Amino acid sequence: MMERRMDTALLVLLMGHLAAALEVPLDLLEELPQPPTITQQSPKDYIIDPRENIVIHCDAKGKPHPSFSWTRNGTHFDIDEDVNVVMRPHSGTLVVDISREKADHYEGVYQCTARNKHGTAVSHNIVIRQSRSPLWSKERIKQIVVQEGVSLVLPCRPPAGLPPPIIFWMDNNFQRLPQSSRVSQSLNGDLYFSNVLREDSRNDYICYARFPHTQTIQQKQPITVKVLNQDPVDERKPTFLIPSGSSSSHTVLRGQVLEMECIAEGLPTPEISWIKLSGDLPTQRMSYLYYQKNLRIVNVSASDAGDYRCSAKNMLGSVHHTIHVSVKASPYWIGGAPRNLVLAPGENGVLTCRASGTPKPSITWAMNGIPIANSPKDLSRKVEEDTIIFTDIQMGSSAVYQCNVSNDHGYLMANAFVNVLSEPPRVLTPANKVYQVIKNHRARIDCAFFGSPIPKITWFKDSRSSTLDGDPYIQHDNGTLEIHTAQARNSGKYTCAARNMLGIYENHVYLEVKEPTRILKQPEYKVVQRGRSVVFECKVKHDPTLVPTMTWLKDDGELPDDERLIVDSDSLTITDVTESDGGVYTCIMNTTLDHDSASAELTVVEATPTPAVVYERPDPPTDLELTDQKKRSVQLTWTPGDEHNSPIQKFLIQYDDSLHHRGHWHNLTEVPGTRTTAHLKLSPYVHYTFRVLALNAMGFSRPSFPSRMFKTEAAAPDENPKDVEGFGTEHDNLVISWKPLTGLQSNGPGLRYRVMWRQKAVESDWTTVTVSNNSRFVVSGTPTFVPYELKVQAVNDHGVGPEPAIARGYSGEDLPVAAPENVQVVVLNSTLAEVHWDPVPHKLIRGHLKGYKVYYWKERSLHKHNPYHMEKLILMFSGNHSHGMVPGLHPFSVYSFNVRVYNGKGEGPVSPTQQFDTPEGVPGAPTSLIVTNSNLDTLTLEWSPPHDRKGRITGYTLKYQPVNNSNELGPVEELALLANETSVTLPNLKYSTRYKFYLNAKTVRGAGPAISQEAVTIVDEALMSLLDVDVGEGTAGSTQSSHPLAQPPPHRLPDEALPVSPFGNVSSSVGEDGPLISWEYWGPEKNVYVEYMVENSEGEQEWQKEPVNGSQNVVLKGLKGGLSYRVRLVAKGHHDQPLHHSEELLVTVPAVASRQVDIATQGWFIGLMCAIALLILILLIICFIQRNKGGKYPVKEKEDAHTDPEFQPMKEDDCTFGEYSDNEDHKPLKGSRTPSNGTVKRDDSDDSLVDYGEGGDGQFNEDGSFIGQYSGKSGSRDTAEGHESSEAPSPINTMNSLNSFV
């Protein structure tokens, strides 16, 4: 007995080790050995489709990979001998080809074996059976005749299939027969009638059986039912059709479905009810079928055993039946199937095969597929019923154990291996893996491990100061470390250490705790008119290291693909809203770790509201109430007022502080219009009174009545003053200033400020003073411009504020005490100099260095003609500069300058004043250039010296060149002039020629810019007089001048040139397209055009322009007939030169254009001629018909007809008649006959009657009449007629055609 207890204690100890047993992860540790493990196998009862190949699954894993073999019906199945069976590579799965052998040949019990050198695993028994769907046996079904009111059973009796078929009743139209509480189908498929009615008569009661495995349906022969109503049947109380008797029994297995049925007959139709006599019905697992005739209980357990009673009842009575239910159980696992063991040499372990069943099952063990009693002995192994105990196990004891549990209702079989390994710890989780989790969420950090013996897991964080085995950390058996609520402080580096007797293994992972994604501003309910735009805002806050994605939904679906919907980063805009846009819009912000969403509804209303709907501002909220009162918060609730047909968008909460600022309302917060409560965060030491305003599309409501006062308790300040600064107003003080706290920020009475300061560069203590009702403090007697550290802390009667931040400042500044030294100047050119100096030492500046100033001024010019200047100029160079450029100097001048430093207080002493000279520069342009004394071949130029000489003038340069009529420049002539000259006369110039002059001055530095001028020499007076005559007689056709020169003015004032008209011989003539204007032109201007306007036009009509494009004539098109126009020519030069006009012409446009008309080209004449030709042609045809009606036709008449000019052919070109000529070629045409009195030429339009005869001979009677028959066909015409020969029509046909036409 004592020994038995010790064994039990040992078993309990070893069970603890079993709970931590490990599986060898072959996918990660491929080098470790492992016995086989079955990973896939076909079901125990395997029904196959005879139409498809048979696939029997068997897969296993192990190291090395296992080999496979099979048994069939208990004996070895040699796969190699059966050509129809193939085993898949690297697998034990069998594939049976049934194309050459029937499937039923392979029915039987199969078992798969997987083995390697470490053990053998076996599958359960796989029973292969072929599915069957047999036909109904042929039978002759007689018609069933019953009396109305009696009960009836229509038997189905389907063929036994595998698996059993599903039964249903239908008619010939494949429509299910209606069932009810009167008519229903039983579990065996029969159709029961509690009582029959006349309408039950039909000839198509058909029972169908559907075999689900092969998806086939079999049909029973139709049953005919005829219901008679000859003898009425009396009403009766119910009796059971099934089951029979007053009681019955039923056995069901645990976990299966229990189905019980009671079908009763009676008149009227009875109702069925169920109760459990030995307890309550399991309402969660039960259901009624077939109008409560069937009670169905799923997932049966032992508690479902007992007595069930069904009752059938109608108005005449009731009947009962009791069903005794017994629940049996095939074997099932308790705590799961046996688990694999991985043990180190010398360790202990337990394999447990714990199962139950009804009746109690028996348990047998096998090792590597062999009963354990027949297996090799192992001293470390001990078998005790459902347990195998291993003690001090050694290498070589690895094996696979099979546990078989069976009773009368089934069996369980499981494989579990014992793998003896000696392995140091390993952590299988990837190194440096980063885990990310959202703040306040659960975090799990993995540490998948392996080792034999089983390692112990220890977790460390960052510095490894202590193990993580307490709150908030939870360590699981599989090595996972869990933090129930992760916070930012939990982020960091974590170390997982796996340790056993063979070593230690560490792995590092990282945890990052991210801020949650939150929608700060949710989209709001919107009411918008059709055709307008609406914007839904969705502002989001998320962790900056996570990538967000914004998605919008409409009515929980995708947004319509419509360009009117514009999605931005934080909003959705809908333009031109329509009725279909109404709905609920949801914004979803997703990150890789979390998401947040918010929704709002859009209501679309008509653009013009109906008069019955009035939109107004909402009424003010009412019933303000304060609840949940705390030190710094309170809950405010209210009742909304009437919306007035416009939904409330939001509520605005305001407060009044009667302690600090009575009578002034301040905005506190806003809440959406769907809420009527707000949690308000408050400040200490405030006497709050609240009110609420509602906002809809029409605006804010009136404020609500104020709430009752809520006073918060005083407290120490929460914050210190901001904007602390230090500066000096005098050279020996320090002003400390700050932005004072408001009454709301004071948090209590007695607000004051603790001001602290100390020199920064000196080791000194803080000097502290306390001030009230002030925002600055002046420290006197400070050194000049010394850095200080400053602090200002808020204090009230309830304590001090937080530790203030340190600010920095300087005491007051003073003027600099030193001037820049070593001042030098470098003259770079005549207008630019560079000044250099040594910076003033910082301690002598005595303040913030602002920069340096260079003062400079022009003392005098080195040229005696330029004036004297004394104006001082200043150049400022900000910052610590040591040199600067002085631009804009005047050449050839003397300048003075000095330099001084300046700070925030002002300027320092002046450096010694120095002077420098600027060199000469290039002079400016001469002040003026005019032309005087213009003659035929000379011009005189006069000028003034440059105003800005910039040095000594050494001379002038004059250049000039001629300009022709096309503004092209000729060769350049150049003259060098002395400095003291101011005029020059140019001889030997060309008469009547334009010249351009350029004049510039020079110094030793070079020539300056030039001044230019143009002038024209005078024209010869003899040519002038000739030109005067031509212009005066321009429109009278005078002779053109042989010298088209510009006309000089008749009289010229001494210093001005009058414009001369460059036009001559201006004339006009009237053409078909309009007046033609001609002229001669010898001026230099290229822009020439014609101007015209109506004579005596009313108002100020403008001249119309017509460009001439370089020609000397132009046609004025589009002028109105019958009007007179004023016409002139205009030459336009440069913008500063006058226009040149010709003398005006008066041109009259005729009212009707005088042109001769050719009558032969007029349409009316051509039409008249064609009509006459058509009438003549008709007369010819009529005459021809009359002569061929059968009368006598003398040959002479026929000949005369040929000579009648009225019947000659018409010429094709002018529709006139051709003249007959005897002088034409008298050669007869082919196929024609020559008359006896001469020759007649057959014209192209002529037809010979001989051509209609049969052959070449015609017959004549006594008077010469032609008696031939008009039925023949003419022969071919002469080849000279080309390919246009045609077949001659029959005269008879022609006559008939005309008769019918007439």
Side-chain angles (χ1 to χ4, degrees):
M1 187 69 177
M2 194 69 173
E3 186 177 342
R4 180 70 174 175
R5 289 179 180 175
M6 291 179 62
D7 290 343
T8 303
L10 177 62
L11 177 61
V12 172
L13 290 174
L14 293 177
M15 287 293 289
H17 185 94
L18 175 63
L22 290 179
E23 257 281 347
V24 179
L26 288 183
D27 52 342
L28 299 176
L29 304 175
E30 297 181 353
E31 75 279 5
L32 295 181
Q34 178 173 313
T37 301
I38 301 292
T39 57
Q40 184 183 17
Q41 55 186 327
S42 294
K44 295 178 181 178
D45 192 6
Y46 189 14
I47 300 176
I48 61 172
D49 190 335
R51 300 168 296 183
E52 299 177 355
N53 290 341
I54 304 172
V55 180
I56 310 175
H57 290 281
C58 180
D59 286 297
K61 67 178 181 178
K63 192 66 177 181
H65 191 71
S67 60
F68 298 89
S69 62
W70 285 85
T71 63
R72 178 182 175 188
N73 298 327
T75 61
H76 176 66
F77 182 30
D78 193 345
I79 299 170
D80 296 334
E81 293 185 356
D82 194 330
V83 297
N84 297 325
V85 182
V86 176
M87 183 182 294
R88 289 178 176 171
H90 310 293
S91 171
T93 299
L94 299 181
V95 179
V96 182
D97 185 0
I98 63 171
S99 61
R100 295 186 292 269
E101 189 73 56
K102 291 185 177 181
D104 57 5
H105 176 73
Y106 291 95
E107 291 184 330
V109 180
Y110 292 78
Q111 189 172 36
C112 172
T113 300
R115 60 171 53 86
N116 65 14
K117 64 181 181 180
H118 303 293
T120 301
V122 296
S123 70
H124 53 228
N125 289 335
I126 303 171
V127 180
I128 303 295
R129 294 187 295 170
Q130 173 186 321
S131 64
R132 290 176 173 81
S133 52
L135 298 175
W136 245 291
S137 59
K138 293 185 178 180
E139 58 178 330
R140 185 180 181 86
I141 301 179
K142 297 181 179 180
Q143 178 181 352
I144 299 176
V145 180
V146 294
Q147 184 66 33
E148 184 178 13
V150 302
S151 61
L152 175 64
V153 179
L154 300 183
C156 180
R157 293 192 288 273
L162 186 66
I166 299 172
I167 306 302
F168 51 92
W169 289 79
M170 301 199 337
D171 58 17
N172 278 332
N173 297 323
F174 299 100
Q175 300 296 319
R176 285 187 177 269
L177 293 176
Q179 298 190 24
S180 62
S181 59
R182 185 179 64 86
V183 183
S184 61
Q185 178 182 314
S186 66
L187 294 177
N188 67 358
D190 294 344
L191 191 63
Y192 283 79
F193 295 78
S194 295
N195 51 76
V196 294
L197 301 176
R198 287 288 302 277
E199 55 264 27
D200 295 328
S201 296
R202 61 191 307 158
N203 59 0
D204 56 354
Y205 286 95
I206 305 173
C207 181
Y208 289 87
R210 181 169 67 85
F211 297 90
H213 204 82
T214 59
Q215 294 299 317
T216 58
I217 297 177
Q218 302 292 352
Q219 174 184 338
K220 183 182 177 71
Q221 291 292 325
I223 301 175
T224 301
V225 175
K226 184 177 182 181
V227 180
L228 305 177
N229 62 346
Q230 297 174 351
D231 298 321
V233 176
D234 294 335
E235 293 182 344
R236 60 190 182 278
K237 69 176 185 178
T239 58
F240 282 112
L241 297 175
I242 55 172
S244 59
S246 61
S247 64
S248 59
S249 61
H250 190 86
T251 301
V252 64
L253 294 180
R254 173 183 177 272
Q256 294 186 353
V257 178
L258 169 62
E259 286 190 302
M260 299 175 287
E261 66 176 349
C262 287
I263 301 178
E265 65 89 17
L267 190 66
T269 301
E271 295 180 356
I272 305 297
S273 61
W274 293 84
I275 61 171
K276 185 179 181 182
L277 299 176
S278 56
D280 296 329
L281 291 172
T283 55
Q284 299 298 324
R285 295 181 290 113
M286 59 163 279
S287 60
Y288 295 109
L289 302 176
Y290 300 113
Y291 303 92
Q292 289 197 317
K293 298 175 186 179
N294 189 329
L295 175 62
R296 191 170 189 265
I297 300 175
V298 299
N299 193 20
V300 171
S301 64
S303 63
D304 295 323
D307 293 331
Y308 294 80
R309 187 172 76 179
C310 65
S311 302
K313 181 181 179 181
N314 67 8
M315 58 187 298
L316 300 180
S318 61
V319 63
H320 309 284
H321 184 90
T322 302
I323 302 174
H324 179 74
V325 175
S326 300
V327 178
K328 305 294 182 180
S330 59
Y332 57 91
W333 300 115
I334 298 177
R339 298 175 60 188
N340 298 327
L341 276 180
V342 178
L343 300 175
E347 281 194 311
N348 303 327
V350 174
L351 275 183
T352 301
C353 180
R354 185 162 297 176
S356 182
T358 306
K360 183 178 180 180
S362 61
I363 299 176
T364 59
W365 287 93
M367 186 184 79
N368 295 331
I370 301 173
I372 200 164
N374 301 331
S375 301
K377 299 297 183 181
D378 187 346
L379 297 178
S380 65
R381 180 183 68 218
K382 182 178 181 181
V383 180
E384 288 192 358
E385 296 180 356
D386 59 357
T387 304
I388 299 180
I389 302 172
F390 297 94
T391 307
D392 192 20
I393 197 167
Q394 299 300 319
M395 298 295 291
S397 296
S398 297
V400 181
Y401 291 86
Q402 289 80 36
C403 169
N404 192 305
V405 185
S406 62
N407 65 7
D408 296 340
H409 303 291
Y411 75 96
L412 292 174
M413 202 279 290
N415 292 275
F417 65 69
V418 176
N419 197 7
V420 182
L421 295 173
S422 181
E423 289 292 328
R426 305 187 192 194
V427 176
L428 308 180
T429 301
N432 300 316
K433 183 176 181 180
V434 178
Y435 294 86
Q436 294 181 333
V437 68
I438 295 297
K439 182 180 177 182
N440 296 324
H441 283 61
R442 188 190 311 271
R444 289 189 177 95
I445 313 174
D446 295 329
C447 182
F449 62 91
F450 178 78
S452 183
I454 298 173
K456 180 182 178 182
I457 302 300
T458 307
W459 281 93
F460 303 93
K461 182 177 185 296
D462 295 335
S463 62
R464 304 183 59 164
S465 59
S466 61
T467 59
L468 306 179
D469 54 2
D471 188 56
Y473 301 102
I474 302 171
Q475 184 172 329
H476 296 278
D477 292 338
N478 63 355
T480 297
L481 183 69
E482 178 181 328
I483 306 173
H484 187 266
T485 306
Q487 300 297 325
R489 63 179 179 273
N490 299 130
S491 298
K493 176 182 176 182
Y494 288 79
T495 302
C496 162
R499 181 184 291 106
N500 68 8
M501 59 186 296
L502 300 178
I504 185 171
Y505 190 102
E506 291 187 351
N507 189 50
H508 305 294
V509 294
Y510 297 87
L511 176 64
E512 296 178 354
V513 180
K514 306 292 186 180
E515 289 296 323
T517 301
R518 292 291 177 264
I519 295 179
L520 302 180
K521 181 166 184 169
Q522 300 182 355
E524 299 177 349
Y525 175 79
K526 301 283 187 180
V527 177
V528 65
Q529 294 181 351
R530 182 166 54 87
R532 299 201 174 179
S533 299
V534 65
V535 178
F536 287 108
E537 289 187 298
C538 186
K539 298 188 181 297
V540 182
K541 177 184 179 184
H542 62 88
D543 192 283
T545 62
L546 299 178
V547 178
T549 303
M550 175 71 77
T551 304
W552 285 88
L553 303 178
K554 180 180 183 292
D555 297 331
D556 295 330
E558 292 184 358
L559 286 180
D561 186 10
D562 192 333
E563 61 183 7
R564 297 182 301 106
L565 277 67
I566 304 170
V567 178
D568 292 325
S569 59
D570 56 0
S571 65
L572 169 66
T573 303
I574 307 174
T575 61
D576 192 16
V577 172
T578 63
E579 288 82 355
S580 62
D581 294 326
V584 177
Y585 289 84
T586 304
C587 70
I588 303 175
M589 176 59 75
N590 289 291
T591 66
T592 54
L593 297 180
D594 68 338
H595 73 277
D596 196 11
S597 63
S599 300
E601 185 177 358
L602 173 63
T603 300
V604 182
V605 297
E606 286 297 325
T608 304
T610 56
V613 180
V614 177
Y615 299 99
E616 295 181 359
R617 297 182 181 184
D619 289 343
T622 58
D623 303 330
L624 272 65
E625 184 177 356
L626 299 177
T627 58
D628 194 18
Q629 300 176 6
K630 297 181 181 178
K631 287 186 177 181
R632 296 200 179 189
S633 66
V634 70
Q635 192 85 8
L636 174 65
T637 59
W638 61 88
T639 300
D642 192 344
E643 297 179 344
H644 292 296
N645 302 311
S646 178
I648 294 177
Q649 300 173 358
K650 64 180 179 181
F651 292 99
L652 173 63
I653 301 172
Q654 297 179 332
Y655 73 93
D656 171 53
D657 180 10
S658 59
L659 182 62
H660 301 99
H661 208 186
R662 177 185 295 273
H664 291 79
W665 290 93
H666 308 275
N667 294 340
L668 180 61
T669 187
E670 296 177 352
V671 296
T674 56
R675 293 174 53 185
T676 58
T677 182
H679 185 76
L680 306 179
K681 294 183 178 180
L682 308 177
S683 298
Y685 195 57
V686 177
H687 295 178
Y688 284 100
T689 303
F690 303 101
R691 70 181 186 184
V692 183
L693 293 85
L695 174 70
N696 65 6
M698 307 308 295
F700 276 104
S701 68
R702 299 189 311 278
S704 66
F705 288 111
S707 68
R708 62 180 176 85
M709 183 179 294
F710 179 70
K711 300 179 180 180
T712 55
E713 298 179 0
D718 294 327
E719 55 185 314
N720 291 310
K722 297 179 181 179
D723 301 334
V724 177
E725 295 180 348
F727 55 92
T729 58
E730 300 294 339
H731 66 89
D732 59 349
N733 74 358
L734 171 67
V735 178
I736 304 172
S737 67
W738 60 90
K739 182 179 180 180
L741 299 182
T742 64
L744 197 65
Q745 295 172 321
S746 65
N747 284 9
L751 177 65
R752 50 199 182 273
Y753 303 101
R754 183 177 296 171
V755 184
M756 296 164 277
W757 70 91
R758 69 179 179 186
Q759 284 193 33
K760 181 179 179 182
V762 180
E763 294 288 338
S764 61
D765 295 331
W766 291 92
T767 303
T768 304
V769 297
T770 301
V771 299
S772 302
N773 301 322
N774 210 334
S775 63
R776 58 186 291 169
F777 178 78
V778 179
V779 181
S780 301
T782 62
T784 300
F785 198 65
V786 173
Y788 279 85
E789 292 183 336
L790 316 169
K791 293 194 296 185
V792 178
Q793 187 177 31
V795 183
N796 64 15
D797 293 347
H798 290 264
V800 298
E803 179 64 25
I806 296 178
R808 289 171 177 80
Y810 283 85
S811 58
E813 298 179 83
D814 205 347
L815 294 176
V817 295
E821 297 180 352
N822 196 21
V823 178
Q824 299 177 3
V825 63
V826 177
V827 179
L828 300 179
N829 55 43
S830 60
T831 62
L832 180 65
E834 185 175 17
V835 179
H836 293 261
W837 62 87
D838 291 340
V840 177
H842 185 71
K843 63 181 180 179
L844 301 179
I845 297 176
R846 302 201 299 176
H848 296 285
L849 173 64
K850 298 297 183 180
Y852 292 86
K853 295 182 181 180
V854 176
Y855 284 77
Y856 67 101
W857 61 95
K858 182 179 177 181
E859 293 284 0
R860 66 183 182 278
S861 174
L862 295 176
H863 195 281
K864 61 182 180 180
H865 296 286
N866 284 5
Y868 177 79
H869 293 280
M870 194 60 190
E871 179 184 359
K872 284 190 177 182
L873 301 174
I874 303 174
L875 280 177
M876 302 177 66
F877 301 95
S878 300
N880 192 17
H881 282 268
S882 62
H883 62 88
M885 295 291 184
V886 181
L889 303 178
H890 198 279
F892 206 50
S893 302
V894 178
Y895 279 88
S896 297
F897 76 97
N898 55 50
V899 184
R900 61 195 77 180
V901 68
Y902 69 100
N903 60 16
K905 191 73 171 179
E907 298 177 357
V910 180
S911 69
T913 300
Q914 301 184 37
Q915 286 190 346
F916 63 90
D917 297 344
T918 55
E920 292 188 52
V922 175
T927 306
S928 64
L929 175 63
I930 59 176
V931 180
T932 61
N933 299 327
S934 176
N935 296 313
L936 286 176
D937 57 353
T938 61
L939 286 173
T940 299
L941 299 177
E942 296 179 359
W943 65 89
S944 300
H947 177 74
D948 195 359
R949 304 193 181 191
K950 300 180 182 178
R952 297 181 179 87
I953 302 299
T954 60
Y956 297 91
T957 300
L958 174 65
K959 297 179 182 180
Y960 60 96
Q961 58 189 139
V963 183
N964 63 14
N965 291 342
S966 58
N967 285 338
E968 294 176 351
L969 299 174
V972 178
E973 299 288 342
E974 183 173 338
L975 286 178
L977 305 173
L978 298 177
N980 57 357
E981 291 188 81
T982 59
S983 66
V984 65
T985 299
L986 301 177
N988 301 323
L989 301 179
K990 295 180 182 181
Y991 66 88
S992 186
T993 301
R994 183 185 303 274
Y995 283 88
K996 190 162 188 177
F997 303 94
Y998 313 90
L999 179 70
N1000 55 7
K1002 296 185 295 183
T1003 65
V1004 293
R1005 297 290 296 175
I1011 184 173
S1012 65
Q1013 185 60 273
E1014 291 186 14
V1016 181
T1017 57
I1018 296 178
V1019 184
D1020 191 339
E1021 294 182 358
L1023 294 175
M1024 283 280 296
S1025 60
L1026 178 61
L1027 191 61
D1028 287 339
V1029 174
D1030 290 342
V1031 172
E1033 301 174 355
T1035 57
S1038 62
T1039 306
Q1040 178 180 347
S1041 172
S1042 60
H1043 300 282
L1045 301 178
Q1047 177 182 358
H1051 176 71
R1052 182 180 68 84
L1053 295 177
D1055 289 326
E1056 70 178 14
L1058 297 178
V1060 178
S1061 175
F1063 298 99
N1065 289 342
V1066 182
S1067 62
S1068 68
S1069 63
V1070 178
E1072 294 184 1
D1073 296 330
L1076 174 64
I1077 309 299
S1078 302
W1079 66 91
E1080 291 181 357
Y1081 175 70
W1082 50 81
E1085 291 82 6
K1086 291 185 177 181
N1087 189 3
V1088 178
Y1089 51 90
V1090 175
E1091 290 185 339
Y1092 61 92
M1093 66 185 300
V1094 177
E1095 185 185 24
N1096 300 325
S1097 58
E1098 297 180 359
E1100 297 182 358
Q1101 183 180 356
E1102 294 184 356
W1103 289 88
Q1104 304 297 316
K1105 295 182 180 180
E1106 182 73 24
V1108 302
N1109 299 325
S1111 66
Q1112 295 192 359
N1113 57 73
V1114 68
V1115 177
L1116 300 180
K1117 298 181 180 180
L1119 302 186
K1120 296 182 179 180
L1123 296 179
S1124 296
Y1125 289 85
R1126 296 162 56 193
V1127 181
R1128 69 182 182 183
L1129 288 147
V1130 180
K1132 183 177 181 182
H1134 298 292
H1135 65 279
D1136 57 347
Q1137 295 179 349
L1139 298 177
H1140 297 287
H1141 298 93
S1142 71
E1143 295 290 335
E1144 291 187 10
L1145 292 178
L1146 185 62
V1147 178
T1148 302
V1149 182
V1152 178
S1154 58
R1155 68 169 63 178
Q1156 295 180 350
V1157 179
D1158 186 3
I1159 192 172
T1161 62
Q1162 298 302 302
W1164 64 270
F1165 179 75
I1166 296 174
L1168 178 62
M1169 292 297 100
C1170 291
I1172 294 173
L1174 179 61
L1175 290 174
I1176 294 172
L1177 180 60
I1178 294 173
L1179 290 175
L1180 286 173
I1181 295 173
I1182 294 173
C1183 291
F1184 181 79
I1185 294 171
Q1186 292 295 329
R1187 296 187 59 182
N1188 288 279
K1189 284 188 176 180
K1192 295 181 181 180
Y1193 296 90
V1195 176
K1196 178 63 176 172
E1197 294 178 4
K1198 177 183 176 186
E1199 292 176 353
D1200 293 340
H1202 283 286
T1203 59
D1204 191 346
E1206 225 179 288
F1207 293 92
Q1208 297 306 309
M1210 298 174 67
K1211 293 183 180 180
E1212 295 179 356
D1213 55 348
D1214 58 359
C1215 297
T1216 58
F1217 289 97
E1219 198 174 10
Y1220 183 82
S1221 174
D1222 286 333
N1223 297 325
E1224 295 289 337
D1225 186 6
H1226 294 171
K1227 183 178 179 180
L1229 294 176
K1230 185 176 180 181
S1232 66
R1233 183 174 293 272
T1234 304
S1236 57
N1237 60 346
T1239 59
V1240 178
K1241 180 181 182 298
R1242 183 184 181 214
D1243 199 79
D1244 290 344
S1245 62
D1246 208 6
D1247 283 333
S1248 173
L1249 295 178
V1250 179
D1251 293 341
Y1252 297 101
E1254 295 181 2
D1257 300 330
Q1259 297 181 8
F1260 296 86
N1261 57 12
E1262 293 177 351
D1263 58 1
S1265 300
F1266 181 73
I1267 59 174
Q1269 186 179 3
Y1270 298 93
S1271 62
K1273 188 181 290 187
S1274 66
S1276 298
R1277 299 192 178 184
D1278 195 275
T1279 56
E1281 295 177 357
H1283 298 286
E1284 298 182 0
S1285 61
S1286 61
E1287 188 176 290
S1290 167
I1292 299 175
N1293 293 339
T1294 304
M1295 178 185 66
N1296 293 336
S1297 299
L1298 288 173
N1299 289 337
S1300 63
F1301 178 78
V1302 175

